[in-house]
Amino acid sequence: VDEGWALIGEVGGNEEPLIVLDLLPSEVETLRIRLRGSARGGNARARIHTLRLFSPEPDAELAALSPGEIPEQSSAEWYHERDALGLREPEPRISYDPEKGYLGYVTSFLDTMIEKGTDRYGEVHSPMFVGLLAVADHEHPGAVIPSIPGQRWNDRPFLGGNISHDRPLLEAMEYVSEYTGDAKYREAADAYLRFFLENCTDTPTGLWPWGEHVYWNFYEDQYRQDNHSHELEGRGTVDFWERAWEINPEAVLGEANGLINHVQDLDTFAYSRHADITRMLPDPRPEDLLRWLLDFPGHGGLKMRIWAFAWSKSGDNTYYGWAERMADYFEDVRLEESGMLPVLSRYAYRPNLRPSPGGTLSVGLSMLESAELLAGTELGERLQRLGGEYLEIVAAGTPDPPAVQVVDRPTASEGRAVSHWEDDGAWIDLKFDIPEAGRYLMTLRYGLAVDSTSRAVLIDGENVGEFELSSTRGWASFETVTPDLGPLSLAAGETILRLVNRDSAGLCLDWVALHGPEGTPEVKVLAADLLASGVPRPKRPEIVVGFDSGYGGVSILSRQISDRSVTGFVGNATSMLAYRMTGDERHLQQAREIAEAYLAIDEVPEYDHLRAGVFGSLIHMMLDMYEVDAQERWLEAAERFAQAGIEGLYRNGLFRGATGQWVYDSHLYVSRFVHGLVRLHAVVEQDETQAPPLYY
């Protein structure tokens, strides 16, 4: 109303699922509903499912409306409204001030966080940093706020903080005290870590409330309870675990003990990236756990390293045994042809048996790090050897993809089916003996665990169309469909039907049949009786320069593209770590190729949603190269990305989570950006106590 809002009704205290509300008879353009006091137990929220509006009686007098104050409207609600109505302009940029310098912006940010960005909510106030903070008033929004495009909303610490997001920031604060001579930054970081370890880690499993899917809730002074999934995130450093051990060794052992909850089959030691933080799994494990098993290699390597650390400190052979079982598991799932680890093993609920260079490299690095912690033991020697093998395989280059395979499938019509058919361009040939010329439809029986996949159809070398298949909710859960290809005109005699993968999604195929709409007989061929199959040789990984970073703040700088291999920042960082650990120039060359692609960027695009973590990644990438190749071009690029980040993110004493946004958001890895600025300051000022690189 007149660019404001008028209240036409309110209701409260209801416990029924259906609420009927008498409103003032009103003529409105926009109706706004404020859900207040909607919190429920376990941090759940009440939701509106259906809204029905009714016209007043024909002779009803319409209310005279005038705008009024919105009671207790938070800054978050105001921004919600402006976003919804398309009225909010992107937050303004600043101009970089060289007099202030990189460290000046960092200290301004840290001063704001120490004064206004700590836990001031709930009954217990703490020195932990909050995950969201409004730039305008330095207040927590007090609500769930919209995610930026591509960001998963439930990975964010809406009502508290996540030390996994802040770990690079805590490390950087140590160096800021060194550079400024002000101990308050070191003391604030120490107080944060100490409070977390002494007050937040006593969960039913010992698992810490950190990572992608769980955090510490400041309003309820407990870990977030509407999503119990624990997931390790980022490599971190052994120094972090050393400091945690000094403060609270019991908490470190609790995390090490709880990690066994990720192992969902104690016989095979098959593990998942996710684990319940609220209860320990029984022995033996429930069979239904395997329905959601996701054993991405890097996550297993991180668990192995923590167990090696726990053994090095405690001498408890339980941790030694678990680390050994994890090494056994990697040997078990290792691909025979390439020697690499798969993206997801045969134990996963959606196997992806393509070689994973990144996963193999990550596990190899974890093995070498674990070997140092297990020095002098048989397992330490074994991990040193295996880690070296994995790094050697990755350095040698991208392997050929695995061939399409015929596998045992008890639910297939004859117990066998074609599977492991993930690579774009992979094909199979089936031979049909067509009894008489005519028009035929194609029907097939298949299993599919992913949402969808596409296949092209060729008849005797001629492309006759493509079709899409929908999920059957499992590789061994078969359904029969007749794709909408239209009738195929076939001659009598031998016909070769080729099916070609068009989207890098797998397919488990039982049989294909050709049958006619005009009375022609059906001819069925089992996929297991295929005539031939093939997989195109892999293209050289393509470096696509971009500024996306996956659904969080920690992934790659360029979006994965389905029809070709793409590499990004993670490939650069892990290759640099491999080079530092081995001195192998091939790893350095792989890192250099990625960095060269980003070096060629003269200007960073000015658009909304460019994440703070991306700027931090670019700064570290260029400084990594400058460290091993002291050419000024690398340092100039680091400064270019740093200044672009400051101009797009800094305002009112805070760094926004992404350009154009109105909040500091830890999930978008402002911590990585701050760490990069601290490291850059040290390099520019030639400080001997410079902050080290970050590995993720």
Side-chain angles (χ1 to χ4, degrees):
V1 180
D2 298 332
E3 298 184 358
W5 296 96
L7 180 66
I8 61 174
E10 57 186 326
V11 64
N14 293 279
E15 297 183 358
E16 297 299 322
L18 178 63
I19 298 172
V20 179
L21 173 63
D22 288 329
L23 305 177
L24 292 176
S26 308
E27 183 175 344
V28 301
E29 292 183 359
T30 305
L31 184 66
R32 177 177 179 180
I33 302 170
R34 301 179 76 215
L35 287 179
R36 307 183 65 204
S38 64
R40 300 294 182 265
N43 197 27
R45 290 287 183 271
R47 295 177 172 89
I48 293 177
H49 181 269
T50 304
L51 178 68
R52 301 179 67 188
L53 299 178
F54 299 87
S55 299
E57 296 295 329
D59 57 351
E61 182 178 354
L62 296 181
L65 303 180
S66 58
E69 292 293 322
I70 305 294
E72 300 178 27
Q73 177 173 257
S74 67
S75 61
E77 189 176 354
W78 185 85
Y79 277 106
H80 265 307
E81 174 209 339
R82 307 300 287 177
D83 278 331
L85 297 177
L87 299 176
R88 187 175 72 81
E89 296 293 329
E91 296 298 299
R93 301 169 63 87
I94 69 163
S95 295
Y96 172 72
D97 181 1
E99 292 296 320
K100 193 167 186 176
Y102 307 121
L103 193 61
Y105 286 101
V106 168
T107 54
S108 177
F109 165 74
L110 291 177
D111 290 343
T112 302
M113 291 299 293
I114 292 171
E115 181 182 355
K116 298 291 186 65
T118 57
D119 172 13
R120 298 175 282 147
Y121 315 96
E123 294 183 3
V124 179
H125 295 183
S126 78
M128 291 180 64
F129 290 150
V130 71
L132 294 170
L133 206 61
V135 171
D137 59 10
H138 298 164
E139 293 292 331
H140 183 265
V144 173
I145 67 173
S147 301
I148 69 170
Q151 184 185 24
R152 296 196 309 193
W153 73 271
N154 62 346
D155 289 345
R156 305 162 71 192
F158 283 120
L159 301 175
N162 191 327
I163 193 173
S164 180
H165 300 164
D166 293 332
R167 191 164 53 182
L169 184 60
L170 300 184
E171 179 180 301
M173 291 168 73
E174 173 76 24
Y175 290 93
V176 173
S177 282
E178 290 284 341
Y179 305 151
T180 64
D182 191 336
K184 71 176 181 181
Y185 305 110
R186 179 189 300 112
E187 292 169 354
D190 185 75
Y192 179 151
L193 180 58
R194 186 176 297 275
F195 180 88
F196 175 80
L197 291 171
E198 293 178 350
N199 297 276
C200 308
T201 56
D202 187 21
T203 66
T205 56
L207 290 171
W208 295 0
W210 68 341
E212 280 196 357
H213 305 301
V214 65
Y215 65 86
W216 188 254
N217 185 313
F218 292 169
Y219 287 85
E220 298 182 0
D221 299 310
Q222 60 183 353
Y223 56 86
R224 187 184 81 168
Q225 293 191 11
D226 61 340
N227 188 329
H228 306 313
S229 179
H230 172 275
E231 179 176 348
L232 286 171
E233 186 176 9
R235 299 195 64 80
T237 63
V238 174
D239 288 344
F240 171 83
W241 292 103
E242 290 282 1
R243 181 66 184 128
W245 182 267
E246 290 176 9
I247 295 173
N248 191 342
E250 290 78 13
V252 175
L253 294 181
E255 171 79 350
N257 292 333
L259 289 178
I260 197 64
N261 235 31
H262 285 266
V263 178
Q264 298 189 351
D265 185 341
L266 293 172
D267 292 332
T268 62
F269 224 64
Y271 64 89
S272 182
R273 66 187 291 182
H274 301 127
D276 193 336
I277 196 173
T278 65
R279 61 184 179 88
M280 290 300 296
L281 294 175
D283 182 3
R285 302 296 202 232
E287 291 185 6
D288 62 353
L289 279 178
L290 300 179
R291 290 185 306 166
W292 304 111
L293 191 146
L294 289 172
D295 58 348
F296 293 104
H299 292 272
L302 295 178
K303 295 171 183 58
M304 173 192 293
R305 197 184 71 167
I306 294 175
W307 285 330
F309 179 83
W311 176 84
S312 72
K313 292 296 185 182
S314 69
D316 188 335
N317 284 328
T318 300
Y319 307 121
Y320 185 99
W322 289 345
E324 188 171 37
R325 291 294 308 280
M326 187 63 75
D328 293 342
Y329 185 75
F330 288 133
E331 292 271 65
D332 179 27
V333 302
R334 192 173 179 180
L335 299 173
E336 186 173 347
E337 293 182 1
S338 67
M340 286 195 180
L341 296 168
V343 176
L344 288 165
S345 82
R346 65 183 183 277
Y347 297 110
Y349 84 94
R350 56 180 196 200
N352 185 336
L353 298 182
R354 286 179 293 176
S356 173
T360 304
L361 183 60
S362 179
V363 169
L365 293 170
S366 291
M367 286 180 166
L368 295 182
E369 292 166 332
S370 299
E372 293 181 8
L373 296 165
L374 295 163
T377 68
E378 183 177 343
L379 178 58
E381 294 178 1
R382 178 187 176 195
L383 294 179
Q384 186 71 35
R385 173 180 56 80
L386 284 176
E389 287 182 11
Y390 286 154
L391 266 60
E392 170 62 29
I393 290 170
V394 175
T398 304
D400 291 342
V404 177
Q405 298 179 34
V406 176
V407 299
D408 292 330
R409 280 287 188 272
T411 51
S413 55
E414 298 293 333
R416 302 271 285 167
V418 162
S419 189
H420 303 161
W421 189 4
E422 293 91 358
D423 287 276
D424 185 75
W427 52 268
I428 65 169
D429 282 349
L430 302 175
K431 183 174 73 173
F432 289 82
D433 291 321
I434 306 301
E436 59 184 66
R439 291 155 56 84
Y440 288 79
L441 298 176
M442 184 183 76
T443 294
L444 53 85
R445 187 171 187 260
Y446 73 98
L448 183 64
V450 296
D451 290 340
S452 65
T453 188
S454 297
R455 294 295 185 272
V457 182
L458 284 74
I459 300 293
D460 294 328
E462 180 182 352
N463 193 322
V464 296
E466 296 187 13
F467 62 91
E468 183 173 305
L469 298 173
S470 299
S471 174
T472 65
R473 301 186 179 182
W475 300 113
S477 178
F478 289 95
E479 294 181 6
T480 301
V481 300
T482 300
D484 186 17
L485 286 170
L488 306 173
S489 297
L490 303 178
E494 182 180 289
T495 289
I496 306 300
L497 184 147
R498 172 171 289 189
L499 297 176
V500 185
N501 187 327
R502 284 297 186 225
D503 59 9
S504 299
L507 180 68
C508 188
L509 187 64
D510 186 355
W511 50 257
V512 177
L514 298 174
H515 56 91
E518 303 167 350
T520 50
E522 178 182 85
V523 184
K524 180 186 290 186
V525 174
L526 295 175
D529 294 334
L530 58 86
L531 177 67
S533 65
V535 179
R537 291 189 62 81
K539 300 176 183 177
R540 181 178 176 81
E542 182 177 351
I543 300 172
V544 177
V545 175
F547 292 87
D548 197 1
S549 60
Y551 53 69
V554 74
S555 189
I556 59 175
L557 282 180
S558 47
R559 190 184 299 277
Q560 184 67 34
I561 298 176
S562 61
D563 63 351
R564 58 191 188 273
S565 181
V566 175
T567 189
F569 178 74
V570 170
N572 172 276
T574 52
S575 291
M576 283 301 300
L577 180 56
Y579 169 69
R580 285 187 170 92
M581 295 188 73
T582 65
D584 190 328
E585 293 285 339
R586 291 173 296 176
H587 293 298
L588 177 59
Q589 180 58 31
Q590 291 172 353
R592 184 188 300 275
E593 290 176 2
I594 300 170
E596 290 278 5
Y598 283 94
L599 181 72
I601 298 173
D602 293 327
E603 295 185 8
V604 177
E606 293 186 11
Y607 57 76
D608 283 359
H609 316 316
L610 208 168
R611 307 173 190 205
V614 169
F615 287 107
S617 295
L618 290 168
I619 296 168
H620 277 291
M621 180 189 295
M622 297 306 157
L623 291 180
D624 283 347
M625 296 310 303
Y626 182 70
E627 184 179 300
V628 298
D629 178 16
Q631 297 185 40
E632 286 300 315
R633 60 185 186 133
W634 300 115
L635 186 56
E636 291 169 358
E639 296 203 69
R640 184 166 67 249
F641 291 129
Q643 292 172 20
I646 290 171
E647 291 179 279
L649 300 172
Y650 184 81
R651 187 184 177 201
N652 195 26
L654 285 175
F655 291 118
R656 294 185 274 255
T659 55
Q661 300 306 297
W662 57 275
V663 290
Y664 159 80
D665 185 344
S666 69
H667 181 240
L668 299 178
Y669 282 85
V670 174
S671 63
R672 186 189 301 169
F673 177 57
V674 173
H675 193 288
L677 292 179
V678 172
R679 184 183 176 196
L680 178 59
H681 163 81
V683 172
V684 170
E685 299 299 324
Q686 298 181 337
D687 195 303
E688 294 182 359
T689 60
Q690 63 181 274
L694 280 178
Y695 300 107
Y696 317 110

